[in-house]
Amino acid sequence: MRLTFCFILFTFCYQTSIGQNEQKTVRDSLKVEKLEEVILTATRTERQLSSLPLPVTLISKKKILQSGTIRLDEILNEQTGIITVTDESGFEGVQIQGIASDYILILIDGVPLVGRSAGNFDLSRLTVGNIKQIEVVKGPSSSLYGSEALGGVINIITEKPKSEELHGNASYRFGSFTQQDINVDIKQRYKKLRYVFFANRFSSEGYDLNPDVDGQTVNPFENYTVNGRIYYDFNDKLSLFTSARFYDQVQDAGFTFNDVAFEGDSKEREWNAHARIDQKWNDRLDTSYELYYTNYTANERLADPISEDVLSDSDFDQKLFRPEIRGNYAFADAGTLTAGFGFQYDELDRTFFDETVSFNSQYAYAQYDFNPVERLNVIAGARFDNHSEYSNQFSPKLAMRYKLTNAISVKGSVGYGFKAPDFRQLYFDFTNSAVGYTVLGYNVALDKLRELREQGQILDVVVSEDDLNNPLEAESSVGYNVGLTFKEGKWNSELNFFRNDIKNLIDTRIIARKTNGQNVFSYVNFDEIYTTGFEINTGYKITNALNLSAGYQLLYAYDKKKQQEVEDGQVFARDPATNQTVAVTQSDYFGLVNRSRHNANF
């Protein structure tokens, strides 16, 4: 468990709004309260949170404001079973049910964000200043969202103006280490037009938690986020949504090597453009036509300020383009069919790649949401992905919820998830200039090995060519969730048991030894792991102004091969008490690293 204390030295907030009358205020507040219980991500349709057969966490704007958090990673870290962990890239990523952030899809208004230079997604890039709610779907969600949704989906929903009066907010927060967060937000509904403008500036002079180690824990940085959104209702049946978002950050960078202090900076920049037309044909049929483009760039340069010798100079430039068409059809007393198809083009140009590489894929999905009997809700869905770089994927999912009483419901789901090999795992070509080891992407490993051998750098190759000729497979998972929900009066509780069996995990292995004593690494499918446990959330409403809530997760996460080796007595360790080598027992094997066995909040 990690407790975070935020000391705010100065807070200023200014808000303008014009009310109509007391009766309207009451109606609006009830409407907002109802909307906070509606979730879109789990089924791609509006559903009441309490009626869903899937494990879902909804974080409302009210909760975000009450928490005092300012970045996405901070508010997620306060939720049961959602843990932020720093990886080797230095970025904090989110774990869900023990599954690493590489396998969690991050969305804004239903469209994906890119920019995972080392597999992790830096959640601190995202401010919560203009968020209506955050929706977290736990477990495999590839049946609707495809690759990277193997472990779950986090969807950030922005606000849509409702009032015809001009509303504005401005806030300034100042904290230790000269941390500053500034927000400006205006929104209005004017006849058929609605518009929103949001801007955020976040900066810090940095801080150092370990003075005995060279460099700062967090270097000084300054970033800006600007977002504009326009909604236009042509009539009752046709509407347009457009959004443009820009993010820019500059951060000081430094590294000491061989007693030389290299200095420089790192820069990040992100563009998102999103347009969607929603059409309601009749009371049963509605369709959406969506177009999305995003571009993320990152640059870092480190050099000796005296000699101007360059230690590192890296670039990362990723683009994603995706059109999609989807629709919903409500059968008369027979449920709702949701279906869609689309095309995705993904391109990356970065240092350590010989050339710009690209993927393209076509996909189609369908989902049927129905009630075969009055108290039973069933959701059955599947998706098919045809990808240019790996085998086709079929991702089914089934979820059910049965209402035992007016207060108690039982629910369960089983689903398939997958994650495609990423650009780095296929095309990386990196040699550490200081140490001398080399890391090669799977698709370029064979050709690069031949080049290194011709240059006299290879001592011997430890794998056969056949091992490098078979395509790298997509990682896959089957996830199970079974739980109970209780809601009556002032009490609400939810218990969920989960298990995720993951195979074909991609990891590095040694494929050759170099004449300098170092190794050549590449990627391979070999790991099989599982995560299992349970989580429980409960809340009690003491008064309209005071609520208590608590949550707990118990997690076990194991590598199946290592667990079997321990069981067979094939793993040994030195006993510090006797200095003797002894066999490791099951109780000694904790499991996968960077996983908390116990996680609780109150």
Side-chain angles (χ1 to χ4, degrees), residues 342-408:
F343 169 82
Q344 182 164 305
Y345 176 81
D346 202 348
E347 177 184 288
L348 178 61
D349 182 17
R350 69 174 295 184
T351 308
F352 314 124
F353 283 14
D354 284 347
E355 58 185 4
T356 301
V357 294
S358 62
F359 294 160
N360 67 81
S361 63
Q362 305 83 41
Y363 59 88
Y365 59 87
Q367 174 184 268
Y368 188 41
D369 184 346
F370 66 106
N371 292 71
V373 295
E374 182 180 355
R375 291 180 174 268
L376 177 64
N377 176 235
V378 178
I379 298 177
R383 171 170 166 143
F384 179 79
D385 286 81
N386 176 41
H387 197 278
S388 61
E389 297 299 322
Y390 63 91
S391 58
N392 299 336
Q393 296 290 317
F394 178 72
S395 309
K397 188 164 191 172
L398 178 67
M400 292 182 288
R401 175 182 179 270
Y402 187 77
K403 193 173 183 180
L404 296 173
T405 68
N406 290 334
I408 302 175

Side-chain angles (χ1 to χ4, degrees), residues 77-93:
N77 211 32
E78 297 187 3
Q79 313 307 312
T80 304
I82 304 174
I83 305 168
T84 56
V85 176
T86 304
D87 70 356
E88 63 273 9
S89 67
F91 295 136
E92 276 195 341

Side-chain angles (χ1 to χ4, degrees), residues 108-109 130-132 156-160 227 229 231:
I108 286 187
D109 290 322
N130 65 334
I131 292 177
K132 172 192 170 186
I156 301 156
I157 309 294
T158 55
E159 288 188 283
K160 183 177 181 179
N227 179 219
R229 301 190 300 281
Y231 307 80

